[in-house]
Amino acid sequence: MYQLSEALAQEIVDRMMNDIPYNINIMNDQGVIIGSGNSGRIGTEHRGAIKALESGEMVEVWEDQRYEKKGTNEPIVINQVRVGVIGISGNPEEVRPFCNIVRTTVVLLIEQRMALESMHSEANRKKAFLEVLLHHQGIYTQKLQKKAIAYNIDLLLPTTILYIEHAGMNTEMSNLLLMFPSFILEADICMILVQDAKEIKKVVKQLLQSQPLLRISVSRHGAHIADGYYQSKSAMRIGRALQLPEKIILYDQVEFLVKLSESELGTEHHIMKLEDKDSVDLLETLRVFIHNNGSMSDTSAELNIHRNTLQYRLRRIHDLTGKDPRNTLDLFELTHGLLKLYK
């Protein structure tokens, strides 16, 4: 049975008394006042409310007494269960016209709160289930398979993970998240599970059509969701580290860079010297230089700077890190250090 909280009861009283010129009380399923315009009455028993709970009908009180004031007391019924009583203090003849609107409004507010609490609980259950999936190794148990079915996931089927960044919740995006098993990871990050390999390109196309600024990383089509999550998230990390221009990053295409970023080669200290706020241009220059395979002309064109300016920046990188981007082996070390920054 739904339990009215004191906080919700008082919130409802405060909102209703902005429009109703009478004191309002809300009693719980035991007839105890848990919300009132008169704070001194909170925690006291209300006889009229007890009678209303017992009879299931409105009880009118015509004289002030020790445990009740004159007014109307009407049961609050949620899903055919009496969860409390709404009381309006005053002459019953005067307050009776407000009863229906107050009762209806109170029920709507409670049902709205119940819906929000249910959504919050479901979101927590879904998040907890995802945590289990992302840390599970080996064969899936029947219990886990059964739980997964509730989220339209067949753990016996291979799965591709689409890791999506910059995901705003417009109508098209919301519809896609409803069509496939999906999880919201952060405010603008989500993941979609695609179990039919033939659907992958179609889903990616629909995502980009709905929001052109999306970035999507794609795992292999494999047996374990935890592996797919690692692959897709790692691929996105590589894209972020190098600021790759591609909107779609396939794990298969960056697997070497993922493995490279996880190796301990002790090169990250070189790049850390470029993290100073005065060196932002140098980090961007290095990334673009890597994108353009060390081409001076292509790099200067993309950065829209003179070739001499580019030469100056590359020399500054050399001076600060001890590694010359124009040297293939040094550039490899600088690339590794850049990847390590985003591990």
Side-chain angles (χ1 to χ4, degrees):
M1 183 180 76
Y2 181 78
Q3 296 288 327
L4 265 174
S5 70
E6 293 182 7
L8 177 58
Q10 191 60 50
E11 179 184 331
I12 292 173
V13 167
D14 293 340
R15 291 178 64 173
M16 295 304 302
M17 288 185 63
N18 286 329
D19 302 312
I20 304 297
Y22 297 94
N23 184 56
I24 292 177
N25 299 311
I26 290 185
M27 285 64 76
N28 63 15
D29 60 339
Q30 302 298 313
V32 176
I33 299 175
I34 58 173
S36 176
N38 180 355
S39 60
R41 299 191 64 189
I42 294 176
T44 63
E45 187 179 74
H46 195 292
R47 293 285 176 82
I50 293 174
K51 295 175 185 175
L53 287 165
E54 291 173 350
S55 67
E57 298 178 353
M58 188 197 321
V59 171
E60 296 181 347
V61 178
W62 291 86
E63 296 291 338
D64 288 344
Q65 300 178 32
R66 182 179 179 184
Y67 295 106
E68 57 188 2
K69 302 292 183 181
K70 63 182 177 181
T72 59
N73 300 280
E74 191 162 9
I76 302 170
V77 181
I78 304 292
N79 296 328
Q80 300 182 331
V81 177
R82 301 165 198 161
V83 300
V85 174
I86 179 77
I88 307 177
S89 300
N91 187 310
E93 292 286 356
E94 295 178 5
V95 302
R96 195 181 299 123
F98 295 102
C99 289
N100 284 336
I101 187 170
V102 170
R103 182 192 67 241
T104 301
T105 303
V106 168
V107 169
L108 286 174
L109 290 172
I110 292 173
E111 289 178 340
Q112 182 185 57
R113 178 60 61 89
M114 289 173 62
L116 289 173
E117 290 176 357
S118 177
M119 289 172 61
H120 183 68
S121 297
E122 175 56 29
N124 286 338
R125 284 193 294 270
K126 192 173 183 180
K127 182 178 180 180
F129 174 70
L130 177 62
E131 286 296 315
V132 172
L133 284 184
L134 298 186
H135 291 89
H136 189 277
Q137 298 294 327
I139 299 173
Y140 293 116
T141 64
Q142 289 188 346
K143 182 179 180 181
L144 195 57
Q145 291 177 40
K146 186 176 180 181
K147 284 186 177 180
I149 293 298
Y151 297 101
N152 297 317
I153 302 171
D154 186 342
L155 293 179
L156 299 180
L157 294 178
T159 304
T160 289
I161 304 296
L162 304 181
Y163 189 94
I164 306 159
E165 287 194 347
H166 310 303
M169 287 298 115
N170 59 17
T171 302
E172 294 84 353
M173 187 69 182
S174 298
N175 289 337
L176 277 170
L177 294 182
L178 290 173
M179 289 171 59
F180 295 90
S182 60
F183 297 87
I184 305 296
L185 304 177
E186 294 181 28
D188 63 344
I189 301 177
C190 62
M191 59 182 278
I192 293 178
L193 284 63
V194 183
Q195 300 199 290
D196 184 348
K198 294 180 292 186
E199 293 278 339
I200 298 171
K201 289 184 179 179
K202 176 183 175 183
V203 176
V204 169
K205 182 179 179 180
Q206 289 177 315
L207 284 168
L208 290 176
Q209 286 177 341
S210 71
Q211 294 188 48
L213 297 180
L214 286 180
R215 287 174 63 86
I216 307 167
S217 56
V218 185
S219 75
R220 290 174 178 153
H221 200 61
H224 292 95
I225 290 172
D227 292 342
Y229 174 75
Y230 157 78
Q231 292 168 8
S232 60
K233 187 175 181 180
S234 297
M236 185 63 77
R237 175 168 52 81
I238 296 302
R240 198 183 304 119
L242 299 179
Q243 293 188 2
L244 298 176
E246 293 84 5
K247 294 185 179 299
I248 304 168
I249 306 169
L250 305 181
Y251 176 76
D252 280 338
Q253 294 177 345
V254 297
E255 182 180 9
F256 172 77
L257 294 176
V258 170
K259 301 300 183 184
L260 178 64
S261 72
E262 295 173 345
S263 62
E264 297 298 333
L265 302 179
T267 61
E268 56 269 27
H269 67 281
H270 300 309
I271 290 294
M272 290 176 67
K273 297 174 182 177
L274 302 181
E275 281 197 293
D276 185 88
K277 63 180 180 179
D278 296 327
S279 303
V280 173
D281 288 344
L282 299 183
L283 275 175
E284 181 188 12
T285 298
L286 178 60
R287 288 190 178 99
V288 176
F289 192 65
I290 293 170
H291 295 168
N292 288 287
N293 303 309
S295 168
M296 298 290 292
S297 56
D298 291 344
T299 301
S300 57
E302 183 172 336
L303 291 171
N304 195 29
I305 59 176
H306 193 275
R307 188 182 180 95
N308 290 342
T309 302
L310 176 58
Q311 288 280 17
Y312 168 76
R313 291 185 183 179
L314 294 178
R315 284 196 300 271
R316 284 287 295 149
I317 292 173
H318 189 186
D319 292 342
L320 289 169
T321 66
K323 300 297 174 180
D324 186 353
R326 292 161 294 190
N327 178 283
T328 301
L329 293 180
D330 283 0
L331 182 61
F332 184 81
E333 286 193 48
L334 290 169
T335 301
H336 177 262
L338 191 59
L339 296 174
K340 290 293 288 184
L341 285 181
Y342 287 81
K343 188 175 182 305

